[in-house]
Amino acid sequence: MIARGPTADDAVDAVVLAALDDEMRPLRAMLTDVRPLAGDGAVWRGRWRGRDVALAVTGDGDRNARMGASAALRRVRARAVIAIGAAGALSPELGTGDLLVAHRVMREHGDAWHAPPPWLAGAARLAGARPAALISVPRLAATVADKQRLLALTAGREPGLLAAVDLESAAFAAAAAARGLPWLILRAISDGAAEALPSLLNSCLDDGGAIRRGLLAVRLFRQPSALPQLLMLRQRVRTCAVVLAAAATAAIESTGAR
């Protein structure tokens, strides 16, 4: 089926991207008049204090984020892009739940993007937000050694900024930049720099960096000791999502997305 292109009714002040539904759910609950776009169940729209907002959950991993973000930006005519999600701390001074505003986004190997200055000026007024460099990697930074290596890499490219790691921020920044749209990426910390993630997570990734949930369930059956930490991480992601929802709505107002 050929996707329908944007119409005048599909114009929005901002499109908000997230990799996971858990990361988007609190924001969706804050909007009014929330409904899927006609003919497209992947993109929803709603309103926040007089502004029109589109929401798109892309799926996790670089490939899903890249394809999902590009599809959403083809589907709606947005004035700006906001991306939200959880991230792992690289800087030891970051704690779980801390809110970050990306000043620079980079891939582990390759491109980098600087956030548009006017958006950063508005984001500086977000309560508790801290400027950061985000590095996107193809696989989870699951060990403390992984995080220390990425911290050194990030600090070498962007000294003086706090650092965090995720899978999708580079894909979101690239999709917005490809369309000439201003963007803002907000992340909240789900795991600390000195905290390792369950090793079975990386063994369940597909080629695009997404977790194969069915395979994870099978491996959890064989390794049930990992379940408590995974449940704790999921709860932290949900807590981060509440922080991010408040920040995203404030950003829509303070950055002049209208």
Short mmCIF file of all heavy atoms in Angstrom, two decimals, residues 27-88:
data_model
loop_
_atom_site.label_atom_id
_atom_site.label_comp_id
_atom_site.label_asym_id
_atom_site.label_seq_id
_atom_site.Cartn_x
_atom_site.Cartn_y
_atom_site.Cartn_z
N LEU A 27 3.52 11.11 27.77
CA LEU A 27 3.29 12.30 26.96
C LEU A 27 1.96 12.20 26.23
O LEU A 27 1.18 13.17 26.20
CB LEU A 27 4.42 12.49 25.96
CG LEU A 27 4.25 13.64 24.97
CD1 LEU A 27 4.10 14.97 25.69
CD2 LEU A 27 5.41 13.69 23.98
N ARG A 28 1.68 11.04 25.66
CA ARG A 28 0.40 10.87 24.96
C ARG A 28 -0.76 11.11 25.91
O ARG A 28 -1.78 11.70 25.52
CB ARG A 28 0.34 9.46 24.36
CG ARG A 28 -0.85 9.24 23.45
CD ARG A 28 -0.69 7.98 22.62
NE ARG A 28 -0.45 6.80 23.42
CZ ARG A 28 0.59 5.99 23.26
NH1 ARG A 28 1.50 6.22 22.33
NH2 ARG A 28 0.73 4.92 24.02
N ALA A 29 -0.62 10.69 27.16
CA ALA A 29 -1.69 10.87 28.14
C ALA A 29 -1.90 12.33 28.51
O ALA A 29 -2.99 12.71 28.96
CB ALA A 29 -1.39 10.05 29.39
N MET A 30 -0.88 13.17 28.32
CA MET A 30 -1.00 14.59 28.67
C MET A 30 -1.69 15.40 27.58
O MET A 30 -2.20 16.49 27.87
CB MET A 30 0.40 15.17 28.93
CG MET A 30 1.08 14.63 30.18
SD MET A 30 2.77 15.24 30.38
CE MET A 30 2.45 16.98 30.77
N LEU A 31 -1.70 14.91 26.35
CA LEU A 31 -2.28 15.67 25.25
C LEU A 31 -3.79 15.53 25.24
O LEU A 31 -4.36 14.57 25.78
CB LEU A 31 -1.70 15.19 23.92
CG LEU A 31 -0.19 15.25 23.74
CD1 LEU A 31 0.21 14.82 22.33
CD2 LEU A 31 0.36 16.64 24.05
N THR A 32 -4.44 16.46 24.58
CA THR A 32 -5.88 16.37 24.38
C THR A 32 -6.16 16.05 22.92
O THR A 32 -5.31 16.24 22.04
CB THR A 32 -6.57 17.69 24.75
OG1 THR A 32 -6.03 18.75 23.93
CG2 THR A 32 -6.33 18.02 26.22
N ASP A 33 -7.38 15.55 22.66
CA ASP A 33 -7.83 15.26 21.31
C ASP A 33 -6.84 14.35 20.58
O ASP A 33 -6.50 14.58 19.41
CB ASP A 33 -8.03 16.57 20.52
CG ASP A 33 -8.81 16.35 19.23
OD1 ASP A 33 -9.57 15.37 19.16
OD2 ASP A 33 -8.62 17.15 18.28
N VAL A 34 -6.38 13.31 21.26
CA VAL A 34 -5.39 12.40 20.68
C VAL A 34 -6.10 11.38 19.77
O VAL A 34 -7.08 10.76 20.16
CB VAL A 34 -4.60 11.67 21.78
CG1 VAL A 34 -3.61 10.69 21.18
CG2 VAL A 34 -3.89 12.68 22.67
N ARG A 35 -5.58 11.22 18.57
CA ARG A 35 -6.19 10.30 17.61
C ARG A 35 -5.15 9.93 16.56
O ARG A 35 -4.24 10.71 16.28
CB ARG A 35 -7.39 10.94 16.93
CG ARG A 35 -7.05 12.17 16.10
CD ARG A 35 -8.25 13.01 15.78
NE ARG A 35 -7.95 14.09 14.86
CZ ARG A 35 -7.39 15.24 15.21
NH1 ARG A 35 -7.04 15.47 16.47
NH2 ARG A 35 -7.16 16.19 14.31
N PRO A 36 -5.27 8.74 15.96
CA PRO A 36 -4.36 8.40 14.87
C PRO A 36 -4.67 9.22 13.63
O PRO A 36 -5.83 9.57 13.38
CB PRO A 36 -4.63 6.91 14.64
CG PRO A 36 -6.02 6.69 15.15
CD PRO A 36 -6.22 7.67 16.27
N LEU A 37 -3.65 9.53 12.86
CA LEU A 37 -3.89 10.21 11.59
C LEU A 37 -4.67 9.29 10.66
O LEU A 37 -4.45 8.08 10.64
CB LEU A 37 -2.57 10.59 10.92
CG LEU A 37 -1.80 11.78 11.50
CD1 LEU A 37 -0.58 12.06 10.66
CD2 LEU A 37 -2.68 13.02 11.56
N ALA A 38 -5.56 9.85 9.90
CA ALA A 38 -6.37 9.06 8.99
C ALA A 38 -5.47 8.26 8.04
O ALA A 38 -4.57 8.82 7.41
CB ALA A 38 -7.30 9.97 8.18
N GLY A 39 -5.72 6.95 7.99
CA GLY A 39 -4.96 6.11 7.07
C GLY A 39 -3.57 5.77 7.54
O GLY A 39 -2.78 5.20 6.78
N ASP A 40 -3.23 6.10 8.79
CA ASP A 40 -1.87 5.84 9.27
C ASP A 40 -1.92 5.60 10.77
O ASP A 40 -1.95 6.52 11.56
CB ASP A 40 -0.96 7.03 8.95
CG ASP A 40 0.51 6.73 9.20
OD1 ASP A 40 0.80 5.81 9.98
OD2 ASP A 40 1.36 7.41 8.62
N GLY A 41 -1.89 4.31 11.16
CA GLY A 41 -1.93 3.98 12.58
C GLY A 41 -0.61 4.17 13.29
O GLY A 41 -0.54 4.04 14.51
N ALA A 42 0.45 4.52 12.54
CA ALA A 42 1.78 4.66 13.15
C ALA A 42 2.01 6.06 13.70
O ALA A 42 2.94 6.25 14.48
CB ALA A 42 2.86 4.31 12.13
N VAL A 43 1.23 7.04 13.27
CA VAL A 43 1.42 8.42 13.70
C VAL A 43 0.12 8.92 14.33
O VAL A 43 -0.95 8.78 13.75
CB VAL A 43 1.83 9.34 12.53
CG1 VAL A 43 2.04 10.77 13.01
CG2 VAL A 43 3.09 8.82 11.85
N TRP A 44 0.25 9.47 15.52
CA TRP A 44 -0.90 10.03 16.22
C TRP A 44 -0.72 11.54 16.33
O TRP A 44 0.39 12.05 16.23
CB TRP A 44 -1.01 9.43 17.63
CG TRP A 44 -1.35 7.98 17.62
CD1 TRP A 44 -0.61 6.95 17.10
CD2 TRP A 44 -2.53 7.38 18.15
NE1 TRP A 44 -1.25 5.75 17.27
CE2 TRP A 44 -2.44 5.98 17.91
CE3 TRP A 44 -3.65 7.89 18.81
CZ2 TRP A 44 -3.42 5.10 18.32
CZ3 TRP A 44 -4.65 7.01 19.22
CH2 TRP A 44 -4.52 5.63 18.97
N ARG A 45 -1.81 12.23 16.51
CA ARG A 45 -1.72 13.66 16.73
C ARG A 45 -2.63 14.06 17.88
O ARG A 45 -3.60 13.36 18.22
CB ARG A 45 -2.02 14.46 15.48
CG ARG A 45 -3.46 14.42 15.00
CD ARG A 45 -3.64 15.37 13.82
NE ARG A 45 -3.41 16.76 14.20
CZ ARG A 45 -3.15 17.74 13.33
NH1 ARG A 45 -3.06 17.46 12.04
NH2 ARG A 45 -3.00 18.98 13.75
N GLY A 46 -2.28 15.16 18.49
CA GLY A 46 -3.07 15.69 19.59
C GLY A 46 -2.75 17.16 19.77
O GLY A 46 -2.09 17.77 18.91
N ARG A 47 -3.19 17.72 20.88
CA ARG A 47 -2.96 19.15 21.11
C ARG A 47 -2.42 19.36 22.51
O ARG A 47 -2.78 18.66 23.46
CB ARG A 47 -4.25 19.93 20.91
CG ARG A 47 -4.70 19.97 19.45
CD ARG A 47 -5.95 20.79 19.26
NE ARG A 47 -5.79 22.19 19.63
CZ ARG A 47 -5.19 23.11 18.86
NH1 ARG A 47 -4.69 22.76 17.68
NH2 ARG A 47 -5.11 24.36 19.25
N TRP A 48 -1.54 20.36 22.61
CA TRP A 48 -1.01 20.76 23.91
C TRP A 48 -1.05 22.29 23.99
O TRP A 48 -0.32 22.99 23.32
CB TRP A 48 0.43 20.27 24.11
CG TRP A 48 1.04 20.81 25.36
CD1 TRP A 48 1.96 21.82 25.46
CD2 TRP A 48 0.74 20.42 26.70
NE1 TRP A 48 2.26 22.07 26.78
CE2 TRP A 48 1.52 21.23 27.57
CE3 TRP A 48 -0.12 19.46 27.26
CZ2 TRP A 48 1.47 21.10 28.96
CZ3 TRP A 48 -0.17 19.34 28.64
CH2 TRP A 48 0.62 20.15 29.47
N ARG A 49 -1.96 22.79 24.78
CA ARG A 49 -2.10 24.23 25.03
C ARG A 49 -2.09 25.04 23.73
O ARG A 49 -1.32 25.99 23.58
CB ARG A 49 -1.00 24.69 25.98
CG ARG A 49 -1.15 24.06 27.36
CD ARG A 49 -0.17 24.60 28.36
NE ARG A 49 -0.42 23.98 29.67
CZ ARG A 49 0.33 24.19 30.74
NH1 ARG A 49 1.36 25.02 30.68
NH2 ARG A 49 0.04 23.58 31.88
N GLY A 50 -2.95 24.62 22.81
CA GLY A 50 -3.12 25.37 21.58
C GLY A 50 -2.17 24.99 20.46
O GLY A 50 -2.28 25.54 19.36
N ARG A 51 -1.26 24.08 20.72
CA ARG A 51 -0.31 23.66 19.68
C ARG A 51 -0.67 22.27 19.19
O ARG A 51 -1.07 21.40 19.97
CB ARG A 51 1.12 23.71 20.21
CG ARG A 51 1.63 25.14 20.40
CD ARG A 51 3.05 25.12 20.95
NE ARG A 51 3.67 26.44 20.85
CZ ARG A 51 3.52 27.42 21.74
NH1 ARG A 51 2.75 27.22 22.78
NH2 ARG A 51 4.13 28.57 21.57
N ASP A 52 -0.48 22.06 17.90
CA ASP A 52 -0.72 20.75 17.30
C ASP A 52 0.56 19.94 17.36
O ASP A 52 1.63 20.41 16.96
CB ASP A 52 -1.17 20.90 15.85
CG ASP A 52 -2.53 21.55 15.74
OD1 ASP A 52 -3.47 21.03 16.36
OD2 ASP A 52 -2.65 22.59 15.06
N VAL A 53 0.43 18.70 17.84
CA VAL A 53 1.59 17.84 18.05
C VAL A 53 1.32 16.48 17.42
O VAL A 53 0.22 15.93 17.55
CB VAL A 53 1.87 17.66 19.56
CG1 VAL A 53 3.11 16.81 19.79
CG2 VAL A 53 1.99 19.01 20.26
N ALA A 54 2.33 15.94 16.73
CA ALA A 54 2.26 14.57 16.22
C ALA A 54 3.20 13.70 17.05
O ALA A 54 4.25 14.16 17.50
CB ALA A 54 2.65 14.52 14.75
N LEU A 55 2.82 12.45 17.23
CA LEU A 55 3.60 11.49 18.00
C LEU A 55 3.89 10.27 17.14
O LEU A 55 2.98 9.74 16.49
CB LEU A 55 2.85 11.04 19.26
CG LEU A 55 2.29 12.12 20.19
CD1 LEU A 55 1.49 11.47 21.30
CD2 LEU A 55 3.41 12.97 20.76
N ALA A 56 5.14 9.80 17.15
CA ALA A 56 5.49 8.61 16.38
C ALA A 56 6.44 7.74 17.20
O ALA A 56 7.48 8.22 17.65
CB ALA A 56 6.15 8.99 15.05
N VAL A 57 6.07 6.49 17.40
CA VAL A 57 6.94 5.50 18.04
C VAL A 57 7.59 4.70 16.91
O VAL A 57 6.91 4.03 16.14
CB VAL A 57 6.15 4.59 19.00
CG1 VAL A 57 7.06 3.50 19.57
CG2 VAL A 57 5.53 5.41 20.11
N THR A 58 8.90 4.78 16.83
CA THR A 58 9.61 4.24 15.67
C THR A 58 10.02 2.79 15.81
O THR A 58 10.26 2.10 14.81
CB THR A 58 10.88 5.05 15.41
OG1 THR A 58 11.78 4.90 16.52
CG2 THR A 58 10.56 6.52 15.20
N GLY A 59 10.14 2.29 17.04
CA GLY A 59 10.82 1.03 17.28
C GLY A 59 12.26 1.30 17.68
O GLY A 59 12.82 2.36 17.38
N ASP A 60 12.86 0.33 18.36
CA ASP A 60 14.20 0.54 18.91
C ASP A 60 15.28 0.12 17.92
O ASP A 60 15.03 -0.62 16.97
CB ASP A 60 14.37 -0.21 20.23
CG ASP A 60 14.02 -1.69 20.13
OD1 ASP A 60 13.17 -2.04 19.28
OD2 ASP A 60 14.57 -2.49 20.90
N GLY A 61 16.50 0.63 18.16
CA GLY A 61 17.61 0.33 17.27
C GLY A 61 17.71 1.36 16.15
O GLY A 61 16.73 2.03 15.78
N ASP A 62 18.93 1.49 15.62
CA ASP A 62 19.19 2.51 14.61
C ASP A 62 18.32 2.35 13.37
O ASP A 62 17.76 3.32 12.86
CB ASP A 62 20.67 2.48 14.21
CG ASP A 62 21.00 3.50 13.14
OD1 ASP A 62 21.15 4.69 13.49
OD2 ASP A 62 21.09 3.12 11.95
N ARG A 63 18.19 1.14 12.87
CA ARG A 63 17.43 0.95 11.63
C ARG A 63 15.97 1.32 11.79
O ARG A 63 15.41 2.05 10.96
CB ARG A 63 17.56 -0.51 11.16
CG ARG A 63 16.81 -0.80 9.85
CD ARG A 63 17.13 -2.19 9.36
NE ARG A 63 16.74 -3.21 10.33
CZ ARG A 63 17.16 -4.48 10.29
NH1 ARG A 63 18.02 -4.85 9.35
NH2 ARG A 63 16.76 -5.35 11.18
N ASN A 64 15.32 0.83 12.85
CA ASN A 64 13.92 1.18 13.08
C ASN A 64 13.75 2.67 13.31
O ASN A 64 12.79 3.28 12.81
CB ASN A 64 13.38 0.41 14.27
CG ASN A 64 13.10 -1.05 13.96
OD1 ASN A 64 12.86 -1.40 12.82
ND2 ASN A 64 13.14 -1.89 14.98
N ALA A 65 14.66 3.28 14.08
CA ALA A 65 14.57 4.71 14.35
C ALA A 65 14.71 5.51 13.07
O ALA A 65 13.97 6.48 12.84
CB ALA A 65 15.64 5.13 15.36
N ARG A 66 15.65 5.13 12.23
CA ARG A 66 15.87 5.84 10.97
C ARG A 66 14.65 5.74 10.06
O ARG A 66 14.16 6.74 9.52
CB ARG A 66 17.11 5.28 10.28
CG ARG A 66 17.50 5.99 9.00
CD ARG A 66 18.80 5.46 8.45
NE ARG A 66 18.70 4.07 7.99
CZ ARG A 66 19.25 3.03 8.59
NH1 ARG A 66 19.92 3.18 9.72
NH2 ARG A 66 19.12 1.82 8.09
N MET A 67 14.14 4.51 9.90
CA MET A 67 13.00 4.32 9.00
C MET A 67 11.73 4.93 9.57
O MET A 67 10.96 5.57 8.86
CB MET A 67 12.82 2.82 8.75
CG MET A 67 13.97 2.18 7.99
SD MET A 67 13.82 0.38 7.86
CE MET A 67 12.31 0.25 6.89
N GLY A 68 11.52 4.76 10.88
CA GLY A 68 10.31 5.28 11.49
C GLY A 68 10.28 6.80 11.51
O GLY A 68 9.23 7.41 11.27
N ALA A 69 11.41 7.42 11.81
CA ALA A 69 11.47 8.88 11.82
C ALA A 69 11.25 9.45 10.43
O ALA A 69 10.50 10.42 10.24
CB ALA A 69 12.81 9.34 12.39
N SER A 70 11.90 8.86 9.44
CA SER A 70 11.73 9.34 8.06
C SER A 70 10.29 9.20 7.60
O SER A 70 9.74 10.10 6.96
CB SER A 70 12.67 8.57 7.13
OG SER A 70 14.02 8.84 7.46
N ALA A 71 9.66 8.07 7.94
CA ALA A 71 8.26 7.86 7.54
C ALA A 71 7.35 8.88 8.21
O ALA A 71 6.44 9.44 7.58
CB ALA A 71 7.83 6.44 7.90
N ALA A 72 7.57 9.15 9.50
CA ALA A 72 6.73 10.12 10.21
C ALA A 72 6.89 11.52 9.62
O ALA A 72 5.90 12.26 9.47
CB ALA A 72 7.09 10.13 11.69
N LEU A 73 8.12 11.89 9.26
CA LEU A 73 8.35 13.23 8.73
C LEU A 73 7.87 13.36 7.29
O LEU A 73 7.65 14.48 6.82
CB LEU A 73 9.83 13.59 8.85
CG LEU A 73 10.33 13.71 10.29
CD1 LEU A 73 11.83 13.98 10.33
CD2 LEU A 73 9.57 14.79 11.05
N ARG A 74 7.71 12.26 6.60
CA ARG A 74 7.04 12.31 5.29
C ARG A 74 5.53 12.43 5.46
O ARG A 74 4.85 13.02 4.62
CB ARG A 74 7.36 11.04 4.49
CG ARG A 74 8.76 10.97 3.94
CD ARG A 74 8.89 9.88 2.87
NE ARG A 74 8.53 8.56 3.38
CZ ARG A 74 9.39 7.69 3.91
NH1 ARG A 74 10.67 8.03 4.05
NH2 ARG A 74 8.99 6.51 4.33
N ARG A 75 5.03 11.88 6.56
CA ARG A 75 3.59 11.82 6.76
C ARG A 75 2.99 13.13 7.26
O ARG A 75 1.85 13.46 6.96
CB ARG A 75 3.28 10.70 7.76
CG ARG A 75 1.79 10.46 8.00
CD ARG A 75 1.12 9.98 6.71
NE ARG A 75 -0.30 9.71 6.94
CZ ARG A 75 -1.25 10.64 6.91
NH1 ARG A 75 -0.95 11.91 6.68
NH2 ARG A 75 -2.51 10.30 7.12
N VAL A 76 3.77 13.89 8.04
CA VAL A 76 3.27 15.15 8.57
C VAL A 76 4.19 16.29 8.14
O VAL A 76 5.37 16.09 7.89
CB VAL A 76 3.16 15.13 10.12
CG1 VAL A 76 2.18 14.08 10.57
CG2 VAL A 76 4.52 14.91 10.77
N ARG A 77 3.62 17.48 8.06
CA ARG A 77 4.41 18.69 7.81
C ARG A 77 4.67 19.34 9.16
O ARG A 77 3.79 19.98 9.73
CB ARG A 77 3.66 19.63 6.87
CG ARG A 77 3.54 19.08 5.45
CD ARG A 77 3.04 20.11 4.45
NE ARG A 77 1.68 20.55 4.75
CZ ARG A 77 1.35 21.74 5.19
NH1 ARG A 77 2.28 22.65 5.42
NH2 ARG A 77 0.08 22.05 5.42
N ALA A 78 5.86 19.12 9.69
CA ALA A 78 6.18 19.58 11.04
C ALA A 78 7.07 20.83 10.98
O ALA A 78 7.91 20.95 10.09
CB ALA A 78 6.90 18.48 11.82
N ARG A 79 6.88 21.70 11.94
CA ARG A 79 7.77 22.87 12.06
C ARG A 79 9.07 22.50 12.77
O ARG A 79 10.08 23.17 12.59
CB ARG A 79 7.06 23.98 12.85
CG ARG A 79 5.82 24.55 12.18
CD ARG A 79 5.12 25.49 13.15
NE ARG A 79 3.88 26.01 12.59
CZ ARG A 79 3.76 27.21 12.04
NH1 ARG A 79 4.81 28.00 11.97
NH2 ARG A 79 2.60 27.62 11.58
N ALA A 80 9.03 21.46 13.61
CA ALA A 80 10.19 21.10 14.40
C ALA A 80 10.07 19.66 14.86
O ALA A 80 8.98 19.06 14.82
CB ALA A 80 10.34 22.03 15.59
N VAL A 81 11.18 19.09 15.31
CA VAL A 81 11.24 17.71 15.77
C VAL A 81 11.78 17.70 17.21
O VAL A 81 12.77 18.36 17.52
CB VAL A 81 12.18 16.87 14.89
CG1 VAL A 81 12.32 15.45 15.44
CG2 VAL A 81 11.65 16.83 13.45
N ILE A 82 11.09 16.95 18.06
CA ILE A 82 11.57 16.68 19.42
C ILE A 82 11.67 15.17 19.56
O ILE A 82 10.73 14.45 19.22
CB ILE A 82 10.63 17.25 20.48
CG1 ILE A 82 10.53 18.78 20.37
CG2 ILE A 82 11.09 16.87 21.89
CD1 ILE A 82 9.46 19.39 21.26
N ALA A 83 12.81 14.67 20.03
CA ALA A 83 12.97 13.24 20.28
C ALA A 83 13.18 13.03 21.77
O ALA A 83 13.88 13.80 22.42
CB ALA A 83 14.14 12.69 19.49
N ILE A 84 12.57 11.99 22.29
CA ILE A 84 12.67 11.69 23.72
C ILE A 84 13.03 10.22 23.90
O ILE A 84 12.78 9.39 23.03
CB ILE A 84 11.37 12.02 24.47
CG1 ILE A 84 10.20 11.19 23.93
CG2 ILE A 84 11.06 13.50 24.39
CD1 ILE A 84 8.91 11.36 24.73
N GLY A 85 13.61 9.90 25.06
CA GLY A 85 13.90 8.51 25.36
C GLY A 85 14.88 8.37 26.50
O GLY A 85 15.46 9.35 26.99
N ALA A 86 15.06 7.15 26.95
CA ALA A 86 16.02 6.84 28.01
C ALA A 86 17.41 6.70 27.42
O ALA A 86 17.59 6.47 26.22
CB ALA A 86 15.61 5.56 28.72
N ALA A 87 18.42 6.84 28.27
CA ALA A 87 19.82 6.70 27.85
C ALA A 87 20.63 6.17 29.02
O ALA A 87 20.24 6.29 30.19
CB ALA A 87 20.38 8.06 27.39
N GLY A 88 21.78 5.60 28.68
CA GLY A 88 22.71 5.14 29.71
C GLY A 88 23.74 6.21 30.00
O GLY A 88 24.26 6.87 29.09
#
